[in-house]
Amino acid sequence: MTSARFPLAVLPTPLTRLDRLAAALGRGPLWAKRDDLTGFGVAGNKARALEHLVGDALARGADVLVTGGGPDSNFVAAAALAAAVAGMDCELVVAGGAHRTTNLALAADAGAVLHPLDGPREGIDAAVERLAAGLAREGRRPLAVPRGGSTRVGAAGFAAAAAEVVAQWPEPQPPASVVIPVGSGGSVAGLLAGLAAAGADWPVLGVSVSRPPDEITATVLDLAAATAGAPPRADLLTIVDARGPGFGVASPADRAAAALVRRTEGLLLDDTYGAEAAAVLVEHLGTDPRPALFWLTGGIPSALAHAGEQAHDEEIRERTP
Ligand SMILES: *Cc1c(COP(=O)(O)O)cnc(C)c1O
């Protein structure tokens, strides 16, 4: 689980109590792991993976980081920025056409070369490999990283996060559940590996926003085993299907849960990951008297954009004197 680390994030992130949200739900103590506050590039959990991915790239003497994602990927922006500060070049495969998004604008501004890919996100990893092979033929020293940074090396960053939260946890009893959103699965895989290494038998409730639960559960268990060097306890992992109306689209229940979190705690959740995780927290652990842990993974830039849209659509009422 050890790998070279290139420091990017502000660590440890705080563990804070969500007393007003817990009271509103009528549940026991609720804690939030504040990976929305990792600092680097407002990149949330991606800063943790990139510390290890960039550290590994530098240790291998790579001079160009090659990866990819969809146009709204938080990972592509963060990877471009991390490569820039580490003095590496960055080339990115962007599926679905490189239309203008904040994340792509940030990546381009950081100096990354964008390669649009026609077709679905599933084709990205193969295209990343082809791009890296082409760069190697030109005499470059590329390091190819699959989308989301979900490799053993990237997951090691999140294993370190597990050690952090075990050291911070103040309750006499362990959390009834750790609720965390799941995209490519690297974060939750690292979390499982790190909890096992810390000897913490904490149940993890993963909220899958892009892949079917069976498929992503298998991926996560394999990656956790590779990260930890030993198979994790599969019985501690439950992954629920939160794909709902589609990737990046929050259901009415997701939006209601996000609004509750915003109005009780002032925390901003995005429509792709955070809102879905909040809805699962409310549904599965809403009235549980036992302590629980809600992992905030970031997504603040898109949360801000969507909170504004939502307010305009639904709630701004004119007040006449
Ligand atoms: C990428 C991302 C996730 C999911 O992390 P994975 O490691 O891909 O499962 C969750 N929340 C936010 C805000 C993200 O950007």
Side-chain angles (χ1 to χ4, degrees):
M1 227 147 51
T2 47
S3 55
R5 174 174 171 245
F6 181 79
L8 296 169
V10 181
L11 301 177
T13 57
L15 181 72
T16 60
R17 254 180 98 108
L18 307 183
D19 284 339
R20 288 171 302 257
L21 177 59
L25 294 170
R27 77 164 328 287
L30 188 57
W31 293 86
K33 181 59 171 163
R34 300 295 304 278
D35 276 3
D36 54 324
L37 300 180
T38 55
F40 180 79
V42 205
N45 62 344
K46 300 304 182 291
R48 290 192 183 271
L50 282 162
E51 289 197 331
H52 290 256
L53 292 165
V54 169
D56 179 54
L58 293 174
R60 289 163 183 269
D63 62 1
V64 49
L65 188 67
V66 185
T67 187
D72 292 310
S73 164
N74 297 320
F75 184 68
V76 297
L81 211 49
V85 304
M88 297 173 70
D89 290 335
C90 183
E91 304 224 358
L92 298 168
V93 174
V94 181
H99 58 266
R100 252 179 191 281
T101 61
T102 306
N103 279 329
L104 292 185
L106 285 171
D109 177 72
V113 180
L114 307 186
H115 301 267
L117 174 74
D118 284 332
R121 284 178 296 144
E122 285 69 29
I124 292 170
D125 291 349
V128 165
E129 291 292 343
R130 285 196 300 275
L131 179 57
L135 288 165
R137 279 195 298 275
E138 290 167 18
R140 304 294 308 275
R141 295 187 306 280
L143 183 76
V145 172
R147 67 194 163 112
S150 289
T151 64
R152 198 163 48 79
V153 173
F158 225 82
E164 264 177 37
V165 80
V166 169
Q168 289 169 319
W169 186 251
E171 300 280 347
Q173 59 181 132
S177 214
V178 183
V179 178
I180 183 168
V182 177
S184 59
S187 300
V188 70
L191 177 62
L192 285 180
L195 287 174
D201 295 341
W202 296 3
V204 173
L205 182 57
V207 178
S208 181
V209 303
S210 64
R211 293 169 215 204
D214 291 358
E215 180 191 319
I216 190 71
T217 299
T219 305
V220 166
L221 291 174
D222 283 352
L223 186 53
T227 307
R233 272 184 51 191
D235 61 308
L236 293 175
L237 175 67
T238 306
I239 296 193
V240 297
D241 194 347
R243 287 173 295 166
F247 184 68
V249 185
S251 71
D254 299 339
R255 289 196 157 210
L260 180 66
V261 173
R262 202 164 56 239
R263 289 167 198 164
T264 52
E265 299 291 347
L267 298 174
L268 304 182
L269 302 177
D270 69 320
D271 272 4
T272 306
Y273 299 101
E276 285 79 352
V280 167
L281 173 78
V282 169
E283 191 192 330
H284 290 254
L285 292 156
T287 56
D288 194 320
R290 297 170 297 170
L293 174 58
F294 183 31
W295 208 295
L296 299 196
T297 49
I300 288 184
S302 78
L304 276 174
H306 284 263
E309 281 163 24
Q310 213 180 340
H312 281 282
D313 290 350
E314 296 165 16
E315 292 174 33
I316 291 185
R317 287 181 283 272
E318 255 186 74
R319 297 206 180 140
T320 45

